[in-house]
Amino acid sequence: MNVQLHAVDQGAGPPVLLVHGFPMDHTMWRFQIEALAQNYRVIAPDLRGFGQSPIESIAAKTGISMADYADDLAQLLDRLAVGEPVTLVGFSMGGYIGWQFCKRHRQRLRALVQCDTKAAGDTPQAQETRFKMAEHVEGWGAAHVAALMVPKLLAPSTLQGNPKLAEEVGGMISRTDPVAIAAAQRGMAHRDDSTPLLATLDLPVLYIVGQDDQISTPDEMQSMADATPQGRLATVAKAGHLSPLENPTDVTGAMQEFLGSLST
Ligand code: MLT
């Protein structure tokens, strides 16, 4: 399928591809884009239907698989003439897409950064919750999804101490097209268990997790790092699930250290 994704393409140097989470857009990486573009070519797309990228309305019913999003990214790299292997940085759903990118486009990868994400697939209960949202989001409106999700995305300390960020994240989710929300929920519900992939990964992998992440917990991410031959975990203080926005200094620092180690 020919999909034209909107993407920020900033800076020069080894390419870094930033893949946002659900139901967000590339602006969740704003701190990392500014910092990493000093030394790298940073490409930060909006996935199909999110931010400024278009989506076909039928996708609300058919769903978009993690493999399809991964193929969209490979197509974007072709369009931007990025021939050099990239470091893919995936946040949460962006991480699920990262596993598929590994399976389908391994030769295009230099390394992986997997941020606040999981390798396991959904439990039946989690699938049920996703299907319910996919079915009803058009009637509910995206603002309802924001109200459900913001308290789970941010650490209690962020909710209390940084209400401006909570408002900003709520606004980003509220502006999301319900078609994109439904399509991604169906795609995530059907995603594979990527746990068996971890032991086969033949590239450096940095895992990053907020210490108060309740969605992809530090224990779960430690197990993923342990199962990955060249994997290691950075735990970020003062952050929940949305660590790139909650503690951008430490998240960006961990990424810079990792990216710097790749060139030596
Ligand atoms: C995300 O942040 O992308 C979501 O929490 C992923 C999910 O719903 O599993």
Side-chain angles (χ1 to χ4, degrees), residues 16-46:
V16 178
L17 176 64
L18 302 177
V19 188
H20 65 78
F22 169 87
M24 302 175 200
D25 59 47
H26 77 275
T27 61
M28 65 150 285
W29 296 117
R30 62 194 164 87
F31 294 107
Q32 288 73 35
I33 293 170
E34 286 314 310
L36 298 178
Q38 309 292 323
N39 301 99
Y40 302 94
R41 179 176 178 184
V42 180
I43 298 161
D46 289 334

Side-chain angles (χ1 to χ4, degrees), residues 39-244:
N39 301 99
Y40 302 94
R41 179 176 178 184
V42 180
I43 298 161
D46 289 334
L47 296 165
R48 248 192 268 179
F50 296 96
Q52 297 173 54
S53 290
I55 192 167
E56 291 183 353
S57 53
I58 186 74
K61 290 279 172 247
T62 59
I64 299 178
S65 69
M66 300 301 106
D68 284 344
Y69 289 122
D71 290 351
D72 290 351
L73 295 174
Q75 205 178 94
L76 173 71
L77 294 177
D78 286 341
R79 180 161 64 83
L80 297 177
V82 179
E84 206 182 322
V86 303
T87 297
L88 186 153
V89 181
F91 168 77
S92 200
M93 182 178 82
Y96 311 157
I97 296 166
W99 303 134
Q100 294 303 316
F101 197 92
C102 269
K103 289 180 191 168
R104 302 164 73 83
H105 305 286
R106 169 65 189 90
Q107 76 289 354
R108 303 198 78 142
L109 279 176
R110 169 72 182 92
L112 263 183
V113 180
Q114 292 287 55
C115 208
D116 300 279
T117 193
K118 295 168 186 286
D122 274 356
T123 61
Q125 196 191 349
Q127 286 180 317
E128 205 46 52
T129 306
R130 292 195 195 279
F131 291 135
K132 185 172 167 200
M133 188 184 287
E135 211 47 49
H136 296 291
V137 62
E138 210 142 345
W140 292 348
H144 179 72
V145 175
L148 290 176
M149 288 194 68
V150 170
K152 296 181 190 157
L153 293 170
L154 302 176
S157 57
T158 309
L159 288 166
Q160 278 198 341
N162 194 350
K164 204 162 158 251
L165 179 61
E167 202 179 309
E168 183 191 321
V169 173
M172 174 170 54
I173 297 174
S174 299
R175 286 189 296 276
T176 302
D177 184 345
V179 172
I181 292 176
Q185 284 288 41
R186 292 190 196 281
M188 286 191 283
H190 289 299
R191 76 188 190 281
D192 297 338
D193 178 6
S194 290
T195 310
L197 177 75
L198 303 184
T200 72
L201 291 172
D202 58 349
L203 74 180
V205 184
L206 172 67
Y207 294 94
I208 299 177
V209 68
Q211 71 174 8
D212 297 320
D213 189 341
Q214 301 163 41
I215 298 176
S216 26
T217 64
D219 281 353
E220 185 174 359
M221 292 205 68
Q222 182 65 63
S223 306
M224 290 157 63
D226 291 344
T228 306
Q230 299 175 63
R232 71 178 177 82
L233 177 71
T235 304
V236 173
K238 298 186 197 128
H241 188 59
L242 202 30
S243 65

